[in-house]
Amino acid sequence: MSPITPDDVTRREFLETVAKTGGQSFLFGSLFVNTALLRLPQAGADPKSRAEAEVGKGIVYGFVVDTTKCIGCGSCVRACRAENGVPEGYNRTWVEQYTFYPDGEVFVNSPNGGENGFADPAPTRNKPTGPEAPMRGFFVPKLCNHCIDTPCIQVCPVGASFKTDEGVVLVDHERCVGCGYCVQACPFGSRYLNPETGTADKCTWCHHRVIKGLLPACVVSCPAEARIFGNVSDPESTISRILATNRVQVLKSFLGTRPRTRYIGLDSEVI
Amino acid sequence: MRHAGHFVRLLALVVITVVGFLYVRSLVVPKDFGVKGHFRLSAIDDEGKREARHIGSDACAECHDEIGAAWKAGKHHIPQCENCHGPGLLHTKVVAEDSTAGYTDKILKQFPKAINPGTGITECKWCHLKTFERPSSLKYIVNVEKHITEHQGTFSPASRCIDCHNPHTTVVKR
């Protein structure tokens, strides 16, 4: 230890230097953060304009759910289970029943994911007639949103979750170690741990059918044409025309995950 | 330089560790990992190898041509065969006595020909039972008992929709 000499840094100098460099780094840092923030997807961004931005980029798949057409028959749920061998008690797609009562109560019901259809009225509140009869109601089919900015892929520690060039989010069942991080990360509850394989599982938009030129099983089986699947990059495709002529919305847009599954006629109560 | 031996040993240890790590990594990480991103590229093909179990109504009509033609011409042509009868892939394999038939879901244990013949009422209720949320444009039934008595029938617990209605064409039999 050498004794302190006047050549050493005084307290004043030290504090000045700290303030200067600190201030500079704060300025630069905030500049960087600002630009980074600007690049973030805007939460309320119109999903249709994103579809338009994808035109001519090769095949980019999209999915539209028309909630105004869904009759809640559960055909999609049964078809999905059979097509993909989804174990009992788990769902890759499911249908939710929303019932609105005059006193402001909203009941959301999805018995077995809607696999066996729905009872009338929702069994949670058995007042079918009179002033307490439900005012309005509808069905909302749910499935994987195949987000552009996926939380589920980010958290995978082994690279078992990924996105193809067509925008489909898939699971590599050979690499997956079944840690379940992605199941927790998905804000839409689209994933589950398959008890038969021990790996994470999810809706693939029936990738194995689509590459054979077929439509996803839920789309084929829907008798109400409430599910539309296709190439959003092709402006002549059915889905592009539907996206161009309808007001569409996505689930939980405030999370900024930019879902590729878009909804027609979504109510504000639907989350 | 009397301590040079220490450095040589340390360097050797580092080299062995690095080389060993790289060797093990090359064995563990698949060749096509990281080609297009942080994933195994051939996983896309693995996913695509699965067979499509829903074969489509046109495939059903290849054998069941009479029902297929009547279904296509009738009012019930929007719901597909497999909506009520279940996926047809295993059925075609079982009927063709293809020994490669191979998915072990409940449908094979349940039905000997690997297809749901239909109960004649459960499948109808999926779409036609009245629920408040269904659009009024859909033909639905509020009360089966009332419906049967209104049409001069006799209701019994064993009554089935297909006793009167042809499910393929919606034509009323009597």
Side-chain angles (χ1 to χ4, degrees):
Chain A
M1 280 283 286
S2 56
I4 298 172
T5 62
D7 291 330
D8 284 326
V9 181
T10 63
R11 181 183 291 177
R12 178 180 294 274
E13 275 169 3
F14 173 74
L15 288 175
E16 271 175 5
T17 321
V18 166
K20 269 184 205 160
T21 48
Q24 276 164 0
S25 51
F26 176 76
L27 271 175
F28 279 114
S30 54
L31 264 176
F32 173 73
V33 168
N34 274 340
T35 42
L37 275 177
L38 284 174
R39 273 192 236 111
L40 275 178
Q42 288 186 335
D46 175 19
K48 202 156 60 182
S49 61
R50 292 206 299 273
E52 281 157 6
E54 280 162 350
V55 167
K57 275 191 179 176
I59 296 174
V60 180
Y61 290 121
F63 203 106
V64 171
V65 177
D66 192 342
T67 58
T68 60
K69 285 183 179 169
C70 179
I71 60 166
C73 63
S75 292
C76 48
V77 185
R78 290 185 294 275
C80 177
R81 187 177 301 289
E83 181 68 41
N84 299 300
V86 180
E88 294 288 322
Y90 299 83
N91 286 91
R92 289 186 180 197
T93 183
W94 64 96
V95 181
E96 292 171 0
Q97 179 188 34
Y98 285 76
T99 315
F100 295 74
Y101 288 92
D103 56 7
E105 268 192 278
V106 185
F107 275 116
V108 189
N109 195 29
S110 187
N112 276 334
E115 192 181 355
N116 306 312
F118 290 89
D120 179 49
T124 38
R125 185 163 162 175
N126 200 11
K127 279 169 187 163
T129 51
E132 298 207 9
M135 296 191 305
R136 64 191 180 98
F138 48 82
F139 296 100
V140 179
K142 297 258 180 95
L143 68 157
C144 174
N145 287 285
H146 293 268
C147 305
I148 295 169
D149 295 326
T150 53
C152 57
I153 294 178
Q154 288 175 30
V155 298
C156 183
V158 293
S161 222
F162 59 96
K163 195 163 56 182
T164 69
D165 290 343
E166 294 89 25
V168 184
V169 178
L170 297 174
V171 177
D172 180 351
H173 295 285
E174 272 185 37
R175 279 196 79 76
C176 179
V177 293
C179 68
Y181 285 179
C182 57
V183 180
Q184 294 180 36
C186 176
F188 307 100
S190 304
R191 286 175 172 248
Y192 60 94
L193 273 182
N194 191 325
E196 287 164 11
T197 59
T199 55
D201 224 339
K202 66 182 287 298
C203 161
T204 61
W205 276 350
C206 279
H207 177 76
H208 64 293
R209 290 176 61 86
V210 171
I211 59 162
K212 295 179 182 81
L214 302 163
L215 283 169
C218 60
V219 176
V220 172
S221 67
C222 182
E225 294 176 339
R227 288 169 176 256
I228 304 105
F229 177 83
N231 180 6
V232 291
S233 162
D234 173 13
E236 297 300 311
S237 67
T238 316
I239 192 165
S240 293
R241 278 202 290 274
I242 284 168
L243 284 172
T245 52
N246 283 279
R247 278 160 281 179
V248 292
Q249 210 181 333
V250 294
L251 290 172
K252 297 185 186 177
S253 61
F254 53 88
L255 291 176
T257 64
R258 301 163 77 199
R260 286 188 195 275
T261 302
R262 300 158 179 109
Y263 283 80
I264 298 174
L266 206 59
D267 203 274
S268 60
E269 267 79 3
V270 180
I271 46 165
Chain B
M1 288 300 285
R2 66 194 165 94
H3 293 304
H6 294 303
F7 292 106
V8 171
R9 278 200 291 276
L10 187 66
L11 198 66
L13 200 66
V14 167
V15 167
I16 288 168
T17 312
V18 168
V19 170
F21 171 78
L22 290 176
Y23 176 67
V24 171
R25 192 179 181 278
S26 72
L27 291 182
V28 173
V29 178
K31 293 265 182 302
D32 53 349
F33 194 92
V35 177
K36 275 202 165 182
H38 191 64
F39 66 97
R40 191 171 58 92
L41 192 61
S42 51
I44 303 177
D45 298 332
D46 288 357
E47 185 63 40
K49 272 179 198 150
R50 276 164 52 206
E51 278 182 292
R53 293 180 182 180
H54 286 77
I55 55 174
S57 300
D58 289 340
C60 304
E62 279 176 26
C63 293
H64 306 277
D65 47 357
E66 278 182 31
I67 297 174
W71 164 79
K72 209 158 203 169
K75 280 184 184 170
H76 228 201
H77 66 279
I78 293 173
Q80 304 293 305
C81 307
E82 288 161 316
N83 276 22
C84 298
H85 294 292
L89 175 70
L90 194 53
H91 174 66
T92 56
K93 284 186 173 177
V94 167
V95 170
E97 287 174 4
D98 185 346
S99 59
T100 59
Y103 54 85
T104 56
D105 293 3
K106 63 175 182 180
I107 202 149
L108 181 59
K109 298 167 204 154
Q110 218 172 342
F111 310 113
K113 282 191 173 174
I115 198 102
N116 177 11
T119 62
I121 185 154
T122 312
E123 293 80 11
C124 310
K125 275 157 74 176
W126 286 335
C127 295
H128 293 287
L129 188 75
K130 190 200 177 298
T131 83
F132 171 74
E133 294 78 6
R134 285 197 172 143
S136 53
S137 54
L138 185 77
K139 274 195 177 176
Y140 52 66
I141 299 289
V142 180
N143 186 328
V144 178
E145 199 174 335
K146 199 175 152 202
H147 173 78
I148 290 177
T149 47
E150 268 176 7
H151 291 82
Q152 281 84 43
T154 320
F155 175 80
S156 81
S159 295
R160 295 187 303 168
C161 306
I162 58 165
D163 292 345
C164 298
H165 302 271
N166 183 334
H168 298 129
T169 60
T170 74
V171 172
V172 180
K173 292 174 192 165
R174 60 181 168 90

